[in-house]
Amino acid sequence: MVTNVSLEEIKSLVKLEKEADEKLELTREEAAKIIENAEETARKILKDVDEQDFSVFVHNRLSEIEEKKKSIEKETEQKAAELLENGNKNIEKTIRLIASLVLGE
Amino acid sequence: MENLKSQVKFIHEIEIQEILEVANKKAQQIILEAKEKAETKKNQKAAKISEELNEKEQMDLALAERDSKNKLLNIKYHLYEETISKSENYLKIFTRKKRAKYASGLNNLIIEAAMRLSKNEFEILLNSGDAELVEANLKQLEGKISLLKGEQIKLRVSKETLNAMGGAIVRTIDKKQIYNNTLETRLAKFTAESGQIIMETLFEGANQR
């Protein structure tokens, strides 16, 4: 089928093509920008992890360890007092035991 | 012609949508990967810190336990030493102040020593204060030992004196056999042999660890 197309119409089509190409170019730029932003966000996420502060966790854990040490010390003090009390209470009995062993009684 | 223009517009719109769709998908993927990587990194960092703190805890608590053990052992050791020293003083006083009871004990020590030796003639070595106690009972002692050994034995008190708080050394006349039953030797022997019993008696009632 042969159609008669006027010059004006051809010009209009070329213009339309040109505008569409320009729009495509802008879209490609927009797409590049979207990816660039995503990469920037990713870098920030990783940087935040590097800079993440664990000091509260460390402080709490160290306090916990210190408490356990104090608990051992306190328990030791109690046992030491108990040993001294019992030792001093039993010393005379023990001396008599040793003396009876030595004297062959 | 209008139809052609519509087609051109349509094709371009589709292409634009595809470009944006691909870009958005890629962006989402980049952020998702970053989040996953960040989570892994965070977990690794937390695990490392936790491990270091666990090691510190183990070390600190082991040291605290060791210090505690040493402190309690030190108390036990000093009380034990004090008890042995006081026992020695007790024995010194006992040998001086309770002569009759001591004399009986001394006889037993001499009998025990003589029974450990063969032969039948023995010499008894004593400190200067104990010689007269034994001299007074010498015949009785000879009788007891002879009875126990099943043969007649002879005893004599040596002129040689001991620098001891009490007890006796018994030896055969030819000096080839000797048995040391002085109180010092017996004290050393019993503290070495019966240390566990002494400690148990001394700290009876205390929570042992």
Side-chain angles (χ1 to χ4, degrees):
Chain A
M1 188 175 75
V2 179
T3 320
N4 289 324
V5 180
S6 69
L7 183 63
E8 282 307 310
E9 279 175 327
I10 291 170
K11 276 184 181 173
S12 161
L13 188 61
V14 169
K15 191 184 169 196
L16 182 70
E17 281 279 2
K18 197 182 168 190
E19 280 172 2
D21 282 346
E22 281 171 3
K23 209 173 173 184
L24 259 182
E25 191 53 39
L26 285 173
T27 305
R28 284 195 189 96
E29 281 173 18
E30 191 186 337
K33 189 71 188 165
I34 287 169
I35 290 167
E36 198 182 305
N37 284 343
E39 284 170 347
E40 182 58 34
T41 306
R43 274 194 294 276
K44 192 175 177 310
I45 288 168
L46 291 171
K47 192 178 169 220
D48 284 351
V49 167
D50 283 338
E51 290 170 358
Q52 190 167 5
D53 190 7
F54 284 90
S55 62
V56 174
F57 169 72
V58 171
H59 173 78
N60 289 342
R61 195 73 180 83
L62 288 175
S63 299
E64 198 184 310
I65 294 169
E66 205 52 41
E67 280 302 310
K68 284 183 182 174
K69 278 165 67 181
K70 277 184 188 161
S71 165
I72 291 172
E73 282 167 16
K74 195 178 167 190
E75 197 187 334
T76 305
E77 291 302 324
Q78 283 171 353
K79 285 188 174 174
E82 204 180 322
L83 272 181
L84 280 169
E85 190 190 330
N86 280 281
N88 286 322
K89 193 176 77 184
N90 295 330
I91 198 165
E92 289 301 326
K93 185 170 74 175
T94 312
I95 289 168
R96 283 195 298 277
L97 169 75
I98 293 169
S100 69
L101 285 169
V102 172
L103 292 166
E105 289 172 348
Chain B
M1 190 64 183
E2 280 309 312
N3 194 26
L4 186 62
K5 279 183 183 175
S6 291
Q7 276 184 26
V8 167
K9 272 186 185 175
F10 179 73
I11 289 166
H12 275 89
E13 282 302 323
I14 295 285
E15 205 171 342
I16 285 168
Q17 274 177 24
E18 277 179 358
I19 289 168
L20 289 175
E21 208 172 298
V22 168
N24 280 322
K25 270 189 184 170
K26 195 174 177 186
Q28 279 173 5
Q29 185 63 26
I30 289 168
I31 291 171
L32 184 69
E33 280 174 10
K35 280 182 179 171
E36 284 173 356
K37 203 173 170 185
E39 188 63 22
T40 307
K41 216 171 179 183
K42 182 183 151 189
N43 289 341
Q44 284 173 343
K45 202 172 171 183
K48 190 170 180 275
I49 291 171
S50 198
E51 192 183 335
E52 283 170 5
L53 287 167
N54 285 346
E55 278 173 15
K56 179 179 168 49
E57 181 180 33
Q58 278 184 357
M59 196 180 287
D60 283 7
L61 296 186
L63 285 175
E65 290 283 357
R66 189 202 64 186
D67 290 348
S68 164
K69 203 174 172 183
N70 284 345
K71 186 171 184 176
L72 297 178
L73 279 175
N74 209 24
I75 288 170
K76 283 183 179 181
Y77 173 77
H78 280 103
L79 270 169
Y80 179 81
E81 287 290 301
E82 187 187 339
T83 306
I84 301 304
S85 170
K86 283 186 173 174
S87 298
E88 199 173 338
N89 285 337
Y90 176 91
L91 287 166
K92 275 180 193 164
I93 293 166
F94 180 86
T95 57
R96 284 200 304 267
K97 299 271 171 79
K98 298 191 176 176
R99 295 299 279 171
K101 208 172 172 189
Y102 170 59
S104 162
L106 181 57
N107 284 345
N108 289 336
L109 297 182
I110 292 167
I111 292 168
E112 184 196 345
M115 291 305 292
R116 304 271 179 163
L117 307 174
S118 56
K119 307 271 174 114
N120 53 14
E121 253 187 282
F122 306 107
E123 191 175 39
I124 307 164
L125 285 83
L126 300 152
N127 68 26
S128 53
D130 289 351
E132 65 184 50
L133 276 180
V134 176
E135 289 280 11
N137 292 314
L138 206 56
K139 288 290 162 200
Q140 270 185 325
L141 270 174
E142 269 184 355
K144 277 185 183 173
I145 297 167
S146 298
L147 196 66
L148 288 167
K149 277 187 171 283
E151 62 173 331
Q152 187 59 47
I153 62 105
K154 277 190 180 175
L155 281 180
R156 75 174 184 216
V157 173
S158 172
K159 284 184 179 136
E160 200 180 319
T161 55
L162 296 176
N163 183 21
M165 63 176 155
I169 290 176
V170 178
R171 67 187 178 199
T172 53
I173 293 297
D174 60 10
K175 298 179 183 172
K176 284 184 178 169
Q177 293 178 46
I178 185 164
Y179 191 87
N180 188 335
N181 228 3
T182 58
L183 297 187
E184 284 88 343
T185 302
R186 288 178 66 84
L187 180 62
K189 183 185 165 197
F190 286 117
T191 51
E193 285 176 359
S194 310
Q196 186 64 29
I197 295 169
I198 293 168
M199 290 296 266
E200 280 171 10
T201 310
L202 187 56
F203 297 110
E204 190 184 348
N207 185 11
Q208 301 286 317
R209 157 159 124 171

